[in-house]
């Protein structure tokens, strides 16, 4: 039998490995004067950033960093972090973006597991690092990141301070080529049980993810992301490379704003002052911003916020609309780099009314270019596009973590049958939009019927007195499980559990939910527990309720 014909190559033909450094060609010609802004502290041009990436690489190489070394960063979102996104992998080294919101013991675990050799640390995290440093097995050098003039007192001995190291390094660095499948990044995701799990991405994966996300947001959208816009992440850079958007924004030559530590006032002021047009965040962060007193004074219209990481409740989407903010969902996970789907509206929906459009913008959307997404039953049979048949989402795409780092058992489960198992339950409607009803772990099964905690949260969020809601299943002798709900009220608003139940009773009468879906237990609370990346922490709520 004949075989495919591998292309011929001229002796001197360049095979062009998909390396992160290749993302910098276009912006340096297209937008060299474009700005990168750090809080209200620093402004640089793309040209300056480019030089700083070279200087950083030279400085790290002088510190002994080379191919295969792991370089950890502990920082808030900054222009320096952006420079690390490029310089570290471009050296052939691996960028470990440390989740600084984990507990000190978990951070210690991840840094030892990753075998970090060099650590770049923002002075705010020095107390944390000093506490765990004696138990860090592999770290040889610490590099200080600071906005202060003077070096802070620390028990750690620094190899150098970032800005001084850059100033002393040569303005040009020769970045060598290497295999595009070389590992570029590594970070950890916390599961329901056990130690954090490491996920990792190659240069090729990050380049392809950048192209596909850029094409989706720029090409498939009604008013696409383009180089005239202004981008600010509101998802930390340690969490899945801020969803890959710093790479996309740089490639498109977009003005980028890095807000440092997430303080609502600073974020809102930057949106206003710098004219931010595009951000992304988890719903709870959007909620925090829109309920801040400053948000009531500013004009936030013209801001588009892509929501992912958790379902966007309808009540919150309506609040965003009241501020003139465009919101739509995306879906993905740490293991998937992360973007899998985005809820863009198809052209025939562009003149629909806002509420009708929201029905689709509040789904997870449809797969972005190159993503092969299936929703199948437990036997692996694909389910019909009827909006009702629910099963697990499995995927294939060029940018999925090929396993969990040094965790063969977890890797095997993740990739059972040759498709990545997301652990998310969803259905697809006739338009092809994916609607997630729950994580497998969060599914509520009451009297043989599945109740979607996400749907319930979205309905409860529409009660006029409700600010935030979380729905979980609690054990019930008769029904197996019954839904229970935690509710935070709007400031100054009054409602008791009966009001919430009556409100949901209205949806029962309309036939939109079954009467079993109405939580028998409704707790009005001051605050809903959140995870290290700001999502509702259902694991903790279940423990507390038990
Ligand atoms: P993480 O790995 O921490 O980013 O979490 C990924 C998980 O967040 C997914 O497996 C989903 O359960 C959840 N998730 C992400 N995006 C959405 C979305 N748009 N709607 C509902 N759940 C989501």
């Amino acid at each position: 039998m004949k075989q495919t014909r591998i292309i011929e190559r001229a002796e001197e033909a360049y095979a062009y490995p998909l390396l992160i450094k290749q993302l910098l060609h276009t912006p340096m010609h297209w937008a060299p004067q474009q700005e990168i802004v750090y809080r209200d502290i620093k402004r640089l041009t793309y040209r300056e950033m480019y030089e700083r990436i070279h200087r950083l690489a030279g400085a790290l190489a002088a510190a002994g960093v080379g191919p295969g070394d792991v370089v950890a960063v502990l920082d808030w979102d900054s222009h320096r972090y952006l420079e690390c996104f490029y310089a570290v992998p471009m050296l052939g080294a691996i960028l470990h973006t440390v989740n600084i919101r984990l507990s000190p013991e978990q951070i210690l675990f991840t840094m030892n597991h990753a075998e970090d050799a060099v650590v770049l640390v923002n002075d705010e995290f020095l107390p944390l690092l000093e506490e765990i440093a004696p138990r860090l097995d592999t770290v040889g050098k610490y590099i200080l990141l600071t906005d202060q003039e003077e070096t802070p007192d620390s028990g750690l001995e620094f190899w150098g301070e970032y800005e001084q190291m850059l100033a002393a390094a040569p303005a040009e660095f020769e970045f060598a080529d290497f295999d595009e499948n070389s590992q570029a990044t590594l970070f950890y995701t916390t599961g329901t049980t056990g130690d954090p799990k490491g996920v990792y991405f190659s240069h090729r994966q990050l380049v392809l993810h950048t192209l596909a996300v850029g094409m989706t947001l720029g090409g498939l959208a009604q008013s696409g992301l383009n180089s005239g816009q202004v981008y600010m992440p509101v998802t930390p850079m340690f969490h899945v490379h801020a969803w890959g958007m710093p790479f996309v924004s740089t490639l498109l030559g977009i003005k980028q704003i890095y807000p440092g530590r997430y303080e609502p006032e600073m974020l809102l002021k930057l949106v206003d002052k710098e004219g931010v047009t595009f951000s992304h965040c988890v719903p709870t962060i959007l909620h925090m911003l829109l309920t801040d007193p400053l948000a009531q004074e500013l004009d936030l219209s013209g801001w588009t916020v892509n929501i992912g990481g958790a379902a966007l409740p309808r009540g919150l989407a309506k609040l965003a609309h009241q501020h003139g903010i465009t919101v739509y969902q995306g879906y993905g996970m740490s293991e998937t780099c992360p973007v899998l789907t985005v809820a863009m509206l198809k052209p025939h929906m562009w003149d629909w009314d806002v509420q009708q459009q929201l029905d689709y913008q509040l789904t997870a959307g449809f797969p972005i270019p190159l993503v092969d997404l299936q929703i199948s039953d437990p036997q692996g049979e694909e389910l019909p596009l009827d909006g009702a048949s629910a099963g697990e989402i499995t995927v294939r795409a060029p940018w999925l973590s090929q396993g969990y780092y040094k965790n063969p058992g977890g890797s095997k489960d993740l990739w059972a049958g040759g498709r990545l198992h997301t652990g998310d339950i969803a259905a697809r409607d006739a338009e092809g939009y994916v609607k997630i009803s729950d994580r497998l772990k969060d599914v509520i099964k009451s009297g043989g019927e599945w109740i979607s905690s996400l749907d319930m949260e979205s309905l409860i969020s529409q009660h006029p007195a409700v600010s935030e809601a979380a729905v979980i299943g609690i054990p019930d002798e008769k029904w197996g499980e019954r839904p229970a709900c935690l509710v935070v009220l709007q400031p100054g608003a009054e409602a008791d559990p009966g009001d919430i139940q009556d409100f949901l009773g209205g949806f029962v009468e309309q036939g939109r939910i079954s009467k079993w879906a109405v939580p028998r237990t409704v707790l009005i609370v001051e605050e809903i527990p959140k995870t290290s990346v700001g999502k509702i922490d259902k694991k903790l709520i279940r423990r507390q309720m038990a």
Side-chain angles (χ1 to χ4, degrees):
M1 205 173 76
K2 276 192 166 179
Q3 294 197 327
T4 58
R5 184 189 300 164
I6 304 298
I7 53 167
E8 275 180 25
R9 286 217 163 97
E11 199 182 325
E12 292 191 86
Y14 181 62
Y16 203 96
L18 297 179
L19 298 175
I20 285 172
K21 68 176 178 182
Q22 322 281 23
L23 295 174
L24 293 175
H25 296 309
T26 303
M28 285 316 129
H29 293 285
W30 175 246
Q33 296 305 328
Q34 183 59 281
E35 280 186 306
I36 294 166
V37 180
Y38 172 54
R39 290 169 83 84
D40 47 7
I41 297 179
K42 177 129 191 118
R43 310 183 84 87
L44 15 129
T45 63
Y46 269 44
R47 199 191 295 284
E48 286 167 318
M49 171 191 68
Y50 186 76
E51 187 182 312
R52 285 168 60 89
I53 291 170
H54 280 247
R55 287 179 179 274
L56 174 58
L60 289 174
V65 174
D69 287 327
V70 184
V71 176
V73 176
L74 286 84
D75 197 7
W76 303 116
D77 293 4
S78 69
H79 60 303
R80 300 188 192 105
Y81 217 143
L82 180 69
E83 289 152 10
C84 292
F85 268 37
Y86 286 97
V88 173
M90 281 162 63
L91 277 168
I94 296 150
L95 175 71
H96 173 197
T97 55
V98 179
N99 181 343
I100 35 93
R101 292 228 181 251
L102 296 178
S103 70
E105 286 306 309
Q106 283 177 315
I107 292 178
L108 175 72
F109 170 85
T110 63
M111 294 180 73
N112 278 335
H113 192 266
E115 299 177 47
D116 295 339
V118 171
V119 179
L120 285 81
V121 55
N122 178 316
D123 54 17
E124 266 193 59
F125 306 112
L126 288 176
L128 165 100
L129 210 52
E130 283 159 10
E131 181 190 329
I132 62 173
R135 290 182 289 150
L136 285 172
D137 301 333
T138 55
V139 177
K141 292 189 177 83
Y142 296 98
I143 293 169
L144 177 69
L145 311 174
T146 180
D147 297 332
Q148 318 300 325
E149 292 288 319
E150 288 182 15
T151 307
D153 281 337
S154 169
L156 294 178
E157 209 178 296
F158 296 113
W159 169 260
E161 185 274 326
Y162 189 94
E163 295 299 335
Q164 287 169 7
M165 286 172 67
L166 261 59
E172 275 185 45
F173 185 87
E174 187 74 34
F175 288 102
D177 274 1
F178 43 80
D179 190 322
E180 64 184 18
N181 293 305
S182 303
Q183 188 179 336
T185 61
L186 169 68
F187 60 89
Y188 287 77
T189 165
T190 48
T192 18
T193 50
D195 291 322
K197 292 196 271 248
V199 292
Y200 47 93
F201 301 94
S202 68
H203 282 254
R204 174 188 156 82
Q205 292 185 309
L206 287 164
V207 169
L208 292 175
H209 182 268
T210 303
L211 295 176
V213 172
M215 162 161 264
T216 304
L217 299 180
L220 296 175
Q222 189 173 356
S223 54
L225 187 70
N226 62 56
S227 48
Q229 296 202 9
V230 183
Y231 162 69
M232 179 174 81
V234 195
T235 311
M237 295 176 88
F238 66 72
H239 186 227
V240 214
H241 334 106
W243 301 355
M245 281 306 298
F247 290 122
V248 175
S249 302
T250 307
L251 179 63
L252 295 177
I254 288 174
K255 177 174 163 188
Q256 303 178 53
I257 316 296
Y258 288 90
R261 176 197 258 280
Y262 288 176
E263 295 152 334
E265 277 216 358
M266 173 59 78
L267 290 165
L268 290 164
K269 276 188 192 153
L270 286 171
V271 173
D272 184 51
K273 177 165 166 259
E274 302 294 343
V276 175
T277 58
F278 185 83
S279 294
H280 46 78
C281 63
V282 294
T284 45
I285 302 272
L286 180 66
H287 178 264
M288 173 186 87
L289 293 177
L290 296 187
T291 50
D292 190 90
L294 185 58
Q296 319 323 315
E297 292 168 25
L298 298 178
D299 175 9
L300 299 175
S301 62
W303 192 22
T304 294
V305 184
N306 174 225
I307 298 291
L312 171 62
R314 203 172 182 101
L316 182 55
K318 285 184 176 166
L319 180 63
H321 277 183
Q322 283 161 21
H323 285 273
I325 300 170
T326 304
V327 283
Y328 59 83
Q329 287 207 82
Y331 159 70
M333 56 199 299
S334 302
E335 290 81 342
T336 64
C337 201
V339 185
L340 293 173
T341 67
V342 178
M344 295 299 181
L345 296 173
K346 295 183 183 179
H348 71 270
M349 302 171 172
W350 291 355
D351 56 5
W352 286 4
D353 76 57
V354 174
Q355 291 311 317
Q356 226 184 343
Q357 288 183 338
L358 252 193
D359 289 342
Y360 285 91
Q361 288 168 314
L362 293 186
T363 68
F366 53 86
I368 69 167
L370 305 186
V371 172
D372 157 17
L373 181 147
Q374 283 182 10
I375 298 176
S376 0
D377 65 17
Q379 287 69 46
E381 284 298 313
E382 246 194 301
L383 294 167
L385 304 187
D386 59 6
S389 307
E392 189 189 6
I393 300 177
T394 64
V395 281
R396 283 179 172 167
W399 47 78
L400 310 182
S401 188
Q402 298 290 288
Y404 290 116
Y405 189 53
K406 296 194 287 194
N407 178 348
S411 304
K412 200 163 170 233
D413 292 345
L414 181 69
W415 276 102
R419 299 185 64 83
L420 184 140
H421 290 255
T422 63
D424 290 309
I425 303 295
R428 231 174 187 176
D429 70 4
E431 287 275 9
Y433 284 69
V434 174
K435 187 155 190 304
I436 298 176
S437 50
D438 254 315
R439 293 185 103 140
L440 261 175
K441 293 170 246 171
D442 295 335
V443 158
I444 305 169
K445 209 164 181 203
S446 187
E449 190 190 338
W450 285 18
I451 296 166
S452 163
S453 66
L454 302 186
D455 277 353
M456 293 307 296
E457 285 161 10
S458 194
L459 290 178
I460 298 166
S461 75
Q462 293 172 66
H463 186 288
V466 169
S467 178
E468 258 189 306
V471 173
I472 57 153
I474 51 171
D476 180 277
E477 265 189 25
K478 187 163 172 205
W479 303 106
E481 273 185 319
R482 287 296 306 259
C485 127
L486 300 189
V487 169
V488 178
L489 297 180
Q490 310 260 16
E494 284 186 19
D496 60 31
D499 297 331
I500 308 289
Q501 286 158 332
D502 290 346
F503 178 71
L504 291 173
F507 295 109
V508 177
E509 277 164 28
Q510 292 167 23
R512 289 184 54 187
I513 52 173
S514 73
K515 73 176 190 207
W516 317 117
V518 178
R520 198 181 282 168
T521 312
V522 176
L523 299 176
I524 311 282
V525 294
E526 289 291 312
E527 209 183 335
I528 291 177
K530 307 278 161 54
T531 68
S532 68
V533 289
K535 304 191 204 180
I536 293 176
D537 192 342
K538 296 202 173 171
K539 184 171 60 165
L540 184 60
I541 299 175
R542 274 193 290 267
R543 260 208 320 266
Q544 287 176 346
M545 299 280 277

